[in-house]
Amino acid sequence: MVTIAEVSQDLERFTIFISNLIPYSDDVLCTPIVGTWSIRDIISHIMGWDKNFSKTLNQVINNEEVKLEEHHDVQAFNEASVAFGRKMKLQDLLQEAISQRKQLTVKLNMVSESAFVRQFHNSAYTLETFLQEMFINHDKYHEEQIRKYLQTVR
């Protein structure tokens, strides 16, 4: 079992990764690297999940009923997140993604330890396991894709 502080640190690490993308050209960041998705699209996709999950954390903080699960239509959610990011200036998107992740970690740090480790009703997850699986592991998966691509453009 890990602590809220440890999970927060892992989540914050992604903001550093995004910051390191800022010097790259629009061409590099907007070239498809996985199917039709570019680095821009991947960052936008992650930012969409961060925004969405911040609402869930608000519910946890307010002791409201929460069901920890993936979105009922992951494909549509991802497409909407990517489309949203494509309408933004690239540097604005990167800054917004950093901001959203920081907001998520601030909210996470408002959650009680007991809420962090308890099994949620009608869910196979605790907040800890959900964040580990759906966010931290997900971040690492996409970071690896991006790193592999960036090694080819240097």
Side-chain angles (χ1 to χ4, degrees), residues 71-134:
H71 193 275
H72 66 278
D73 190 345
V74 172
Q75 176 106 12
F77 185 86
N78 286 340
E79 288 172 6
S81 294
V82 168
F84 177 82
R86 287 180 180 173
K87 293 176 188 167
M88 297 179 74
K89 290 181 183 173
L90 187 53
Q91 294 302 315
D92 292 346
L93 170 68
L94 296 175
Q95 292 301 326
E96 181 65 20
I98 291 167
S99 175
Q100 286 296 328
R101 180 53 65 98
K102 286 183 177 182
Q103 287 176 44
L104 183 116
T105 58
V106 165
K107 288 180 183 180
L108 176 59
N109 285 295
M110 297 169 67
V111 171
S112 69
E113 283 290 338
S114 61
F116 184 65
V117 297
R118 88 167 179 258
Q119 191 82 29
F120 279 81
H121 182 68
N122 293 326
S123 176
Y125 297 102
T126 64
L127 204 50
E128 173 202 355
T129 58
F130 190 82
L131 286 166
Q132 288 280 2
E133 190 172 315
M134 301 295 182

Side-chain angles (χ1 to χ4, degrees), residues 20-36:
N20 290 333
L21 297 174
I22 291 171
Y24 285 93
S25 71
D26 288 10
D27 284 346
V28 168
L29 297 177
C30 296
T31 298
I33 67 169
V34 180
T36 60

Side-chain angles (χ1 to χ4, degrees), residues 33-96:
I33 67 169
V34 180
T36 60
W37 280 16
S38 64
I39 293 171
R40 164 194 221 143
D41 297 335
I42 293 168
I43 298 301
S44 185
H45 150 77
I46 292 170
M47 181 178 76
W49 288 107
D50 286 0
K51 281 172 139 176
N52 184 65
F53 196 69
S54 285
K55 295 172 193 169
T56 301
L57 286 176
N58 281 337
Q59 293 173 307
V60 172
I61 292 163
N62 294 326
N63 292 314
E64 296 172 21
E65 186 68 27
V66 173
K67 187 169 184 181
L68 294 178
E69 62 183 1
E70 281 193 275
H71 193 275
H72 66 278
D73 190 345
V74 172
Q75 176 106 12
F77 185 86
N78 286 340
E79 288 172 6
S81 294
V82 168
F84 177 82
R86 287 180 180 173
K87 293 176 188 167
M88 297 179 74
K89 290 181 183 173
L90 187 53
Q91 294 302 315
D92 292 346
L93 170 68
L94 296 175
Q95 292 301 326
E96 181 65 20

